[in-house]
Amino acid sequence: MEIPSLGRRIASLLVDWIVAALSAVALTGVSYPPAPIDEDPSQTFIILAFFVVEVGVLTGLVGRSIGKRALGMRVEDVNGQPIGVPRALLRTLLLSIVLPAVVMTDDKRGLHDLAAGSRVVRG
């Protein structure tokens, strides 16, 4: 089991955010970049909702988001299986808060991974 670098993980997150933002723009008509949050927070939250749903559902069902697939990673449980949609949604919600992803263990598992019982591996 090879643990991906932090740079690879951040690049994957960026790809997922761009996909979510473009999806939100195409389906709801929100503007991107969104207005400053103090002017109209709804646009930012719409994009965030698209991010949580897209990443959570894809990760839960197939073990990869679009960004993880593009950068050769997957999310799995300790048995090497996809974590399922409920745990993936929890993981993605915590990831969107940012702090749980920044605090990591020695094996590069963030608090969002610990809460969901998941790990990110190459492959």
Side-chain angles (χ1 to χ4, degrees), residues 36-58:
I37 198 156
D38 59 339
E39 290 179 20
D40 184 10
S42 66
Q43 292 191 23
T44 300
F45 290 119
I46 290 170
I47 294 170
L48 182 60
F50 269 77
F51 174 81
V52 169
V53 170
E54 284 182 15
V55 173
V57 170
L58 286 172

mmCIF file with all atom_site columns, all heavy atoms in Angstrom, residues 36-58:
data_model
loop_
_atom_site.group_PDB
_atom_site.id
_atom_site.type_symbol
_atom_site.label_atom_id
_atom_site.label_alt_id
_atom_site.label_comp_id
_atom_site.label_asym_id
_atom_site.label_entity_id
_atom_site.label_seq_id
_atom_site.pdbx_PDB_ins_code
_atom_site.Cartn_x
_atom_site.Cartn_y
_atom_site.Cartn_z
_atom_site.occupancy
_atom_site.B_iso_or_equiv
_atom_site.pdbx_formal_charge
_atom_site.auth_seq_id
_atom_site.auth_comp_id
_atom_site.auth_asym_id
_atom_site.auth_atom_id
_atom_site.pdbx_PDB_model_num
ATOM 1   N N   . PRO A 1 36 ? -18.483 37.553 -3.260 1.00 0.00 ? 36 PRO A N   1
ATOM 2   C CA  . PRO A 1 36 ? -17.915 37.433 -1.903 1.00 0.00 ? 36 PRO A CA  1
ATOM 3   C C   . PRO A 1 36 ? -18.969 36.945 -0.924 1.00 0.00 ? 36 PRO A C   1
ATOM 4   O O   . PRO A 1 36 ? -20.142 37.315 -1.027 1.00 0.00 ? 36 PRO A O   1
ATOM 5   C CB  . PRO A 1 36 ? -17.466 38.858 -1.577 1.00 0.00 ? 36 PRO A CB  1
ATOM 6   C CG  . PRO A 1 36 ? -17.239 39.490 -2.914 1.00 0.00 ? 36 PRO A CG  1
ATOM 7   C CD  . PRO A 1 36 ? -18.238 38.856 -3.846 1.00 0.00 ? 36 PRO A CD  1
ATOM 8   N N   . ILE A 1 37 ? -18.556 36.099 -0.003 1.00 0.00 ? 37 ILE A N   1
ATOM 9   C CA  . ILE A 1 37 ? -19.504 35.433 0.893  1.00 0.00 ? 37 ILE A CA  1
ATOM 10  C C   . ILE A 1 37 ? -20.313 36.417 1.719  1.00 0.00 ? 37 ILE A C   1
ATOM 11  O O   . ILE A 1 37 ? -21.451 36.143 2.075  1.00 0.00 ? 37 ILE A O   1
ATOM 12  C CB  . ILE A 1 37 ? -18.797 34.377 1.768  1.00 0.00 ? 37 ILE A CB  1
ATOM 13  C CG1 . ILE A 1 37 ? -19.820 33.415 2.348  1.00 0.00 ? 37 ILE A CG1 1
ATOM 14  C CG2 . ILE A 1 37 ? -17.990 35.046 2.873  1.00 0.00 ? 37 ILE A CG2 1
ATOM 15  C CD1 . ILE A 1 37 ? -19.283 32.089 2.728  1.00 0.00 ? 37 ILE A CD1 1
ATOM 16  N N   . ASP A 1 38 ? -19.763 37.602 1.990  1.00 0.00 ? 38 ASP A N   1
ATOM 17  C CA  . ASP A 1 38 ? -20.532 38.571 2.772  1.00 0.00 ? 38 ASP A CA  1
ATOM 18  C C   . ASP A 1 38 ? -21.616 39.257 1.932  1.00 0.00 ? 38 ASP A C   1
ATOM 19  O O   . ASP A 1 38 ? -22.551 39.824 2.468  1.00 0.00 ? 38 ASP A O   1
ATOM 20  C CB  . ASP A 1 38 ? -19.615 39.610 3.415  1.00 0.00 ? 38 ASP A CB  1
ATOM 21  C CG  . ASP A 1 38 ? -18.782 40.385 2.402  1.00 0.00 ? 38 ASP A CG  1
ATOM 22  O OD1 . ASP A 1 38 ? -18.603 39.894 1.279  1.00 0.00 ? 38 ASP A OD1 1
ATOM 23  O OD2 . ASP A 1 38 ? -18.308 41.482 2.759  1.00 0.00 ? 38 ASP A OD2 1
ATOM 24  N N   . GLU A 1 39 ? -21.525 39.172 0.599  1.00 0.00 ? 39 GLU A N   1
ATOM 25  C CA  . GLU A 1 39 ? -22.557 39.751 -0.269 1.00 0.00 ? 39 GLU A CA  1
ATOM 26  C C   . GLU A 1 39 ? -23.675 38.744 -0.560 1.00 0.00 ? 39 GLU A C   1
ATOM 27  O O   . GLU A 1 39 ? -24.844 39.086 -0.521 1.00 0.00 ? 39 GLU A O   1
ATOM 28  C CB  . GLU A 1 39 ? -21.945 40.219 -1.587 1.00 0.00 ? 39 GLU A CB  1
ATOM 29  C CG  . GLU A 1 39 ? -21.056 41.434 -1.448 1.00 0.00 ? 39 GLU A CG  1
ATOM 30  C CD  . GLU A 1 39 ? -20.447 41.836 -2.776 1.00 0.00 ? 39 GLU A CD  1
ATOM 31  O OE1 . GLU A 1 39 ? -20.974 41.444 -3.846 1.00 0.00 ? 39 GLU A OE1 1
ATOM 32  O OE2 . GLU A 1 39 ? -19.420 42.530 -2.750 1.00 0.00 ? 39 GLU A OE2 1
ATOM 33  N N   . ASP A 1 40 ? -23.313 37.530 -0.924 1.00 0.00 ? 40 ASP A N   1
ATOM 34  C CA  . ASP A 1 40 ? -24.306 36.515 -1.263 1.00 0.00 ? 40 ASP A CA  1
ATOM 35  C C   . ASP A 1 40 ? -23.736 35.126 -0.974 1.00 0.00 ? 40 ASP A C   1
ATOM 36  O O   . ASP A 1 40 ? -23.148 34.491 -1.852 1.00 0.00 ? 40 ASP A O   1
ATOM 37  C CB  . ASP A 1 40 ? -24.700 36.627 -2.733 1.00 0.00 ? 40 ASP A CB  1
ATOM 38  C CG  . ASP A 1 40 ? -25.804 35.656 -3.117 1.00 0.00 ? 40 ASP A CG  1
ATOM 39  O OD1 . ASP A 1 40 ? -26.402 35.025 -2.213 1.00 0.00 ? 40 ASP A OD1 1
ATOM 40  O OD2 . ASP A 1 40 ? -26.077 35.522 -4.327 1.00 0.00 ? 40 ASP A OD2 1
ATOM 41  N N   . PRO A 1 41 ? -23.925 34.635 0.261  1.00 0.00 ? 41 PRO A N   1
ATOM 42  C CA  . PRO A 1 41 ? -23.350 33.329 0.619  1.00 0.00 ? 41 PRO A CA  1
ATOM 43  C C   . PRO A 1 41 ? -24.004 32.150 -0.095 1.00 0.00 ? 41 PRO A C   1
ATOM 44  O O   . PRO A 1 41 ? -23.419 31.084 -0.183 1.00 0.00 ? 41 PRO A O   1
ATOM 45  C CB  . PRO A 1 41 ? -23.570 33.246 2.121  1.00 0.00 ? 41 PRO A CB  1
ATOM 46  C CG  . PRO A 1 41 ? -24.707 34.164 2.400  1.00 0.00 ? 41 PRO A CG  1
ATOM 47  C CD  . PRO A 1 41 ? -24.621 35.260 1.370  1.00 0.00 ? 41 PRO A CD  1
ATOM 48  N N   . SER A 1 42 ? -25.199 32.339 -0.654 1.00 0.00 ? 42 SER A N   1
ATOM 49  C CA  . SER A 1 42 ? -25.908 31.204 -1.250 1.00 0.00 ? 42 SER A CA  1
ATOM 50  C C   . SER A 1 42 ? -25.136 30.582 -2.405 1.00 0.00 ? 42 SER A C   1
ATOM 51  O O   . SER A 1 42 ? -25.141 29.360 -2.565 1.00 0.00 ? 42 SER A O   1
ATOM 52  C CB  . SER A 1 42 ? -27.299 31.630 -1.715 1.00 0.00 ? 42 SER A CB  1
ATOM 53  O OG  . SER A 1 42 ? -27.209 32.563 -2.777 1.00 0.00 ? 42 SER A OG  1
ATOM 54  N N   . GLN A 1 43 ? -24.458 31.387 -3.216 1.00 0.00 ? 43 GLN A N   1
ATOM 55  C CA  . GLN A 1 43 ? -23.730 30.834 -4.358 1.00 0.00 ? 43 GLN A CA  1
ATOM 56  C C   . GLN A 1 43 ? -22.583 29.938 -3.908 1.00 0.00 ? 43 GLN A C   1
ATOM 57  O O   . GLN A 1 43 ? -22.362 28.873 -4.478 1.00 0.00 ? 43 GLN A O   1
ATOM 58  C CB  . GLN A 1 43 ? -23.214 31.957 -5.250 1.00 0.00 ? 43 GLN A CB  1
ATOM 59  C CG  . GLN A 1 43 ? -24.345 32.689 -5.931 1.00 0.00 ? 43 GLN A CG  1
ATOM 60  C CD  . GLN A 1 43 ? -23.861 33.626 -7.007 1.00 0.00 ? 43 GLN A CD  1
ATOM 61  O OE1 . GLN A 1 43 ? -22.785 33.465 -7.552 1.00 0.00 ? 43 GLN A OE1 1
ATOM 62  N NE2 . GLN A 1 43 ? -24.681 34.600 -7.340 1.00 0.00 ? 43 GLN A NE2 1
ATOM 63  N N   . THR A 1 44 ? -21.873 30.350 -2.882 1.00 0.00 ? 44 THR A N   1
ATOM 64  C CA  . THR A 1 44 ? -20.781 29.538 -2.352 1.00 0.00 ? 44 THR A CA  1
ATOM 65  C C   . THR A 1 44 ? -21.326 28.229 -1.788 1.00 0.00 ? 44 THR A C   1
ATOM 66  O O   . THR A 1 44 ? -20.752 27.164 -2.006 1.00 0.00 ? 44 THR A O   1
ATOM 67  C CB  . THR A 1 44 ? -20.006 30.310 -1.271 1.00 0.00 ? 44 THR A CB  1
ATOM 68  O OG1 . THR A 1 44 ? -19.475 31.494 -1.860 1.00 0.00 ? 44 THR A OG1 1
ATOM 69  C CG2 . THR A 1 44 ? -18.880 29.473 -0.696 1.00 0.00 ? 44 THR A CG2 1
ATOM 70  N N   . PHE A 1 45 ? -22.444 28.298 -1.094 1.00 0.00 ? 45 PHE A N   1
ATOM 71  C CA  . PHE A 1 45 ? -23.008 27.087 -0.502 1.00 0.00 ? 45 PHE A CA  1
ATOM 72  C C   . PHE A 1 45 ? -23.579 26.141 -1.551 1.00 0.00 ? 45 PHE A C   1
ATOM 73  O O   . PHE A 1 45 ? -23.551 24.925 -1.369 1.00 0.00 ? 45 PHE A O   1
ATOM 74  C CB  . PHE A 1 45 ? -24.044 27.434 0.570  1.00 0.00 ? 45 PHE A CB  1
ATOM 75  C CG  . PHE A 1 45 ? -23.419 28.026 1.797  1.00 0.00 ? 45 PHE A CG  1
ATOM 76  C CD1 . PHE A 1 45 ? -23.739 29.303 2.204  1.00 0.00 ? 45 PHE A CD1 1
ATOM 77  C CD2 . PHE A 1 45 ? -22.481 27.315 2.530  1.00 0.00 ? 45 PHE A CD2 1
ATOM 78  C CE1 . PHE A 1 45 ? -23.142 29.858 3.325  1.00 0.00 ? 45 PHE A CE1 1
ATOM 79  C CE2 . PHE A 1 45 ? -21.878 27.854 3.652  1.00 0.00 ? 45 PHE A CE2 1
ATOM 80  C CZ  . PHE A 1 45 ? -22.209 29.131 4.061  1.00 0.00 ? 45 PHE A CZ  1
ATOM 81  N N   . ILE A 1 46 ? -24.062 26.676 -2.649 1.00 0.00 ? 46 ILE A N   1
ATOM 82  C CA  . ILE A 1 46 ? -24.538 25.812 -3.737 1.00 0.00 ? 46 ILE A CA  1
ATOM 83  C C   . ILE A 1 46 ? -23.365 25.029 -4.321 1.00 0.00 ? 46 ILE A C   1
ATOM 84  O O   . ILE A 1 46 ? -23.454 23.815 -4.526 1.00 0.00 ? 46 ILE A O   1
ATOM 85  C CB  . ILE A 1 46 ? -25.264 26.637 -4.823 1.00 0.00 ? 46 ILE A CB  1
ATOM 86  C CG1 . ILE A 1 46 ? -26.597 27.141 -4.290 1.00 0.00 ? 46 ILE A CG1 1
ATOM 87  C CG2 . ILE A 1 46 ? -25.459 25.812 -6.099 1.00 0.00 ? 46 ILE A CG2 1
ATOM 88  C CD1 . ILE A 1 46 ? -27.285 28.160 -5.176 1.00 0.00 ? 46 ILE A CD1 1
ATOM 89  N N   . ILE A 1 47 ? -22.257 25.703 -4.574 1.00 0.00 ? 47 ILE A N   1
ATOM 90  C CA  . ILE A 1 47 ? -21.072 25.018 -5.099 1.00 0.00 ? 47 ILE A CA  1
ATOM 91  C C   . ILE A 1 47 ? -20.557 23.997 -4.091 1.00 0.00 ? 47 ILE A C   1
ATOM 92  O O   . ILE A 1 47 ? -20.208 22.871 -4.452 1.00 0.00 ? 47 ILE A O   1
ATOM 93  C CB  . ILE A 1 47 ? -19.983 26.038 -5.486 1.00 0.00 ? 47 ILE A CB  1
ATOM 94  C CG1 . ILE A 1 47 ? -20.471 26.879 -6.664 1.00 0.00 ? 47 ILE A CG1 1
ATOM 95  C CG2 . ILE A 1 47 ? -18.671 25.330 -5.840 1.00 0.00 ? 47 ILE A CG2 1
ATOM 96  C CD1 . ILE A 1 47 ? -19.597 28.078 -6.992 1.00 0.00 ? 47 ILE A CD1 1
ATOM 97  N N   . LEU A 1 48 ? -20.534 24.362 -2.823 1.00 0.00 ? 48 LEU A N   1
ATOM 98  C CA  . LEU A 1 48 ? -20.094 23.431 -1.774 1.00 0.00 ? 48 LEU A CA  1
ATOM 99  C C   . LEU A 1 48 ? -21.007 22.207 -1.721 1.00 0.00 ? 48 LEU A C   1
ATOM 100 O O   . LEU A 1 48 ? -20.532 21.077 -1.576 1.00 0.00 ? 48 LEU A O   1
ATOM 101 C CB  . LEU A 1 48 ? -20.061 24.141 -0.423 1.00 0.00 ? 48 LEU A CB  1
ATOM 102 C CG  . LEU A 1 48 ? -19.575 23.316 0.754  1.00 0.00 ? 48 LEU A CG  1
ATOM 103 C CD1 . LEU A 1 48 ? -18.142 22.834 0.534  1.00 0.00 ? 48 LEU A CD1 1
ATOM 104 C CD2 . LEU A 1 48 ? -19.666 24.143 2.035  1.00 0.00 ? 48 LEU A CD2 1
ATOM 105 N N   . ALA A 1 49 ? -22.307 22.409 -1.871 1.00 0.00 ? 49 ALA A N   1
ATOM 106 C CA  . ALA A 1 49 ? -23.240 21.278 -1.873 1.00 0.00 ? 49 ALA A CA  1
ATOM 107 C C   . ALA A 1 49 ? -22.962 20.342 -3.053 1.00 0.00 ? 49 ALA A C   1
ATOM 108 O O   . ALA A 1 49 ? -22.974 19.116 -2.895 1.00 0.00 ? 49 ALA A O   1
ATOM 109 C CB  . ALA A 1 49 ? -24.682 21.786 -1.919 1.00 0.00 ? 49 ALA A CB  1
ATOM 110 N N   . PHE A 1 50 ? -22.704 20.911 -4.222 1.00 0.00 ? 50 PHE A N   1
ATOM 111 C CA  . PHE A 1 50 ? -22.354 20.086 -5.378 1.00 0.00 ? 50 PHE A CA  1
ATOM 112 C C   . PHE A 1 50 ? -21.073 19.296 -5.103 1.00 0.00 ? 50 PHE A C   1
ATOM 113 O O   . PHE A 1 50 ? -20.979 18.116 -5.437 1.00 0.00 ? 50 PHE A O   1
ATOM 114 C CB  . PHE A 1 50 ? -22.184 20.952 -6.639 1.00 0.00 ? 50 PHE A CB  1
ATOM 115 C CG  . PHE A 1 50 ? -23.435 21.120 -7.428 1.00 0.00 ? 50 PHE A CG  1
ATOM 116 C CD1 . PHE A 1 50 ? -24.422 21.999 -6.999 1.00 0.00 ? 50 PHE A CD1 1
ATOM 117 C CD2 . PHE A 1 50 ? -23.640 20.413 -8.599 1.00 0.00 ? 50 PHE A CD2 1
ATOM 118 C CE1 . PHE A 1 50 ? -25.588 22.169 -7.727 1.00 0.00 ? 50 PHE A CE1 1
ATOM 119 C CE2 . PHE A 1 50 ? -24.808 20.573 -9.338 1.00 0.00 ? 50 PHE A CE2 1
ATOM 120 C CZ  . PHE A 1 50 ? -25.789 21.457 -8.893 1.00 0.00 ? 50 PHE A CZ  1
ATOM 121 N N   . PHE A 1 51 ? -20.084 19.938 -4.485 1.00 0.00 ? 51 PHE A N   1
ATOM 122 C CA  . PHE A 1 51 ? -18.827 19.273 -4.148 1.00 0.00 ? 51 PHE A CA  1
ATOM 123 C C   . PHE A 1 51 ? -19.079 18.095 -3.210 1.00 0.00 ? 51 PHE A C   1
ATOM 124 O O   . PHE A 1 51 ? -18.617 16.978 -3.469 1.00 0.00 ? 51 PHE A O   1
ATOM 125 C CB  . PHE A 1 51 ? -17.867 20.279 -3.492 1.00 0.00 ? 51 PHE A CB  1
ATOM 126 C CG  . PHE A 1 51 ? -16.607 19.660 -2.975 1.00 0.00 ? 51 PHE A CG  1
ATOM 127 C CD1 . PHE A 1 51 ? -15.552 19.384 -3.834 1.00 0.00 ? 51 PHE A CD1 1
ATOM 128 C CD2 . PHE A 1 51 ? -16.463 19.345 -1.635 1.00 0.00 ? 51 PHE A CD2 1
ATOM 129 C CE1 . PHE A 1 51 ? -14.374 18.814 -3.363 1.00 0.00 ? 51 PHE A CE1 1
ATOM 130 C CE2 . PHE A 1 51 ? -15.296 18.773 -1.151 1.00 0.00 ? 51 PHE A CE2 1
ATOM 131 C CZ  . PHE A 1 51 ? -14.256 18.507 -2.018 1.00 0.00 ? 51 PHE A CZ  1
ATOM 132 N N   . VAL A 1 52 ? -19.830 18.318 -2.140 1.00 0.00 ? 52 VAL A N   1
ATOM 133 C CA  . VAL A 1 52 ? -20.079 17.253 -1.154 1.00 0.00 ? 52 VAL A CA  1
ATOM 134 C C   . VAL A 1 52 ? -20.825 16.093 -1.796 1.00 0.00 ? 52 VAL A C   1
ATOM 135 O O   . VAL A 1 52 ? -20.460 14.923 -1.601 1.00 0.00 ? 52 VAL A O   1
ATOM 136 C CB  . VAL A 1 52 ? -20.843 17.808 0.071  1.00 0.00 ? 52 VAL A CB  1
ATOM 137 C CG1 . VAL A 1 52 ? -21.341 16.685 0.966  1.00 0.00 ? 52 VAL A CG1 1
ATOM 138 C CG2 . VAL A 1 52 ? -19.956 18.768 0.861  1.00 0.00 ? 52 VAL A CG2 1
ATOM 139 N N   . VAL A 1 53 ? -21.844 16.382 -2.585 1.00 0.00 ? 53 VAL A N   1
ATOM 140 C CA  . VAL A 1 53 ? -22.627 15.306 -3.205 1.00 0.00 ? 53 VAL A CA  1
ATOM 141 C C   . VAL A 1 53 ? -21.797 14.553 -4.237 1.00 0.00 ? 53 VAL A C   1
ATOM 142 O O   . VAL A 1 53 ? -21.746 13.312 -4.223 1.00 0.00 ? 53 VAL A O   1
ATOM 143 C CB  . VAL A 1 53 ? -23.934 15.855 -3.825 1.00 0.00 ? 53 VAL A CB  1
ATOM 144 C CG1 . VAL A 1 53 ? -24.628 14.795 -4.668 1.00 0.00 ? 53 VAL A CG1 1
ATOM 145 C CG2 . VAL A 1 53 ? -24.859 16.357 -2.719 1.00 0.00 ? 53 VAL A CG2 1
ATOM 146 N N   . GLU A 1 54 ? -21.136 15.274 -5.139 1.00 0.00 ? 54 GLU A N   1
ATOM 147 C CA  . GLU A 1 54 ? -20.352 14.596 -6.185 1.00 0.00 ? 54 GLU A CA  1
ATOM 148 C C   . GLU A 1 54 ? -19.241 13.733 -5.589 1.00 0.00 ? 54 GLU A C   1
ATOM 149 O O   . GLU A 1 54 ? -19.118 12.550 -5.905 1.00 0.00 ? 54 GLU A O   1
ATOM 150 C CB  . GLU A 1 54 ? -19.740 15.611 -7.148 1.00 0.00 ? 54 GLU A CB  1
ATOM 151 C CG  . GLU A 1 54 ? -20.717 16.191 -8.129 1.00 0.00 ? 54 GLU A CG  1
ATOM 152 C CD  . GLU A 1 54 ? -20.076 17.154 -9.114 1.00 0.00 ? 54 GLU A CD  1
ATOM 153 O OE1 . GLU A 1 54 ? -18.840 17.176 -9.242 1.00 0.00 ? 54 GLU A OE1 1
ATOM 154 O OE2 . GLU A 1 54 ? -20.835 17.891 -9.775 1.00 0.00 ? 54 GLU A OE2 1
ATOM 155 N N   . VAL A 1 55 ? -18.435 14.326 -4.743 1.00 0.00 ? 55 VAL A N   1
ATOM 156 C CA  . VAL A 1 55 ? -17.302 13.590 -4.163 1.00 0.00 ? 55 VAL A CA  1
ATOM 157 C C   . VAL A 1 55 ? -17.802 12.482 -3.244 1.00 0.00 ? 55 VAL A C   1
ATOM 158 O O   . VAL A 1 55 ? -17.307 11.355 -3.286 1.00 0.00 ? 55 VAL A O   1
ATOM 159 C CB  . VAL A 1 55 ? -16.339 14.552 -3.438 1.00 0.00 ? 55 VAL A CB  1
ATOM 160 C CG1 . VAL A 1 55 ? -15.269 13.783 -2.686 1.00 0.00 ? 55 VAL A CG1 1
ATOM 161 C CG2 . VAL A 1 55 ? -15.710 15.510 -4.432 1.00 0.00 ? 55 VAL A CG2 1
ATOM 162 N N   . GLY A 1 56 ? -18.802 12.785 -2.411 1.00 0.00 ? 56 GLY A N   1
ATOM 163 C CA  . GLY A 1 56 ? -19.313 11.786 -1.475 1.00 0.00 ? 56 GLY A CA  1
ATOM 164 C C   . GLY A 1 56 ? -19.914 10.574 -2.162 1.00 0.00 ? 56 GLY A C   1
ATOM 165 O O   . GLY A 1 56 ? -19.596 9.431  -1.818 1.00 0.00 ? 56 GLY A O   1
ATOM 166 N N   . VAL A 1 57 ? -20.759 10.811 -3.144 1.00 0.00 ? 57 VAL A N   1
ATOM 167 C CA  . VAL A 1 57 ? -21.423 9.682  -3.829 1.00 0.00 ? 57 VAL A CA  1
ATOM 168 C C   . VAL A 1 57 ? -20.412 8.865  -4.634 1.00 0.00 ? 57 VAL A C   1
ATOM 169 O O   . VAL A 1 57 ? -20.397 7.627  -4.549 1.00 0.00 ? 57 VAL A O   1
ATOM 170 C CB  . VAL A 1 57 ? -22.591 10.187 -4.710 1.00 0.00 ? 57 VAL A CB  1
ATOM 171 C CG1 . VAL A 1 57 ? -23.116 9.080  -5.608 1.00 0.00 ? 57 VAL A CG1 1
ATOM 172 C CG2 . VAL A 1 57 ? -23.705 10.735 -3.830 1.00 0.00 ? 57 VAL A CG2 1
ATOM 173 N N   . LEU A 1 58 ? -19.568 9.523  -5.406 1.00 0.00 ? 58 LEU A N   1
ATOM 174 C CA  . LEU A 1 58 ? -18.579 8.777  -6.198 1.00 0.00 ? 58 LEU A CA  1
ATOM 175 C C   . LEU A 1 58 ? -17.608 8.004  -5.301 1.00 0.00 ? 58 LEU A C   1
ATOM 176 O O   . LEU A 1 58 ? -17.304 6.837  -5.560 1.00 0.00 ? 58 LEU A O   1
ATOM 177 C CB  . LEU A 1 58 ? -17.806 9.721  -7.117 1.00 0.00 ? 58 LEU A CB  1
ATOM 178 C CG  . LEU A 1 58 ? -18.577 10.240 -8.328 1.00 0.00 ? 58 LEU A CG  1
ATOM 179 C CD1 . LEU A 1 58 ? -17.776 11.305 -9.048 1.00 0.00 ? 58 LEU A CD1 1
ATOM 180 C CD2 . LEU A 1 58 ? -18.925 9.095  -9.262 1.00 0.00 ? 58 LEU A CD2 1
#
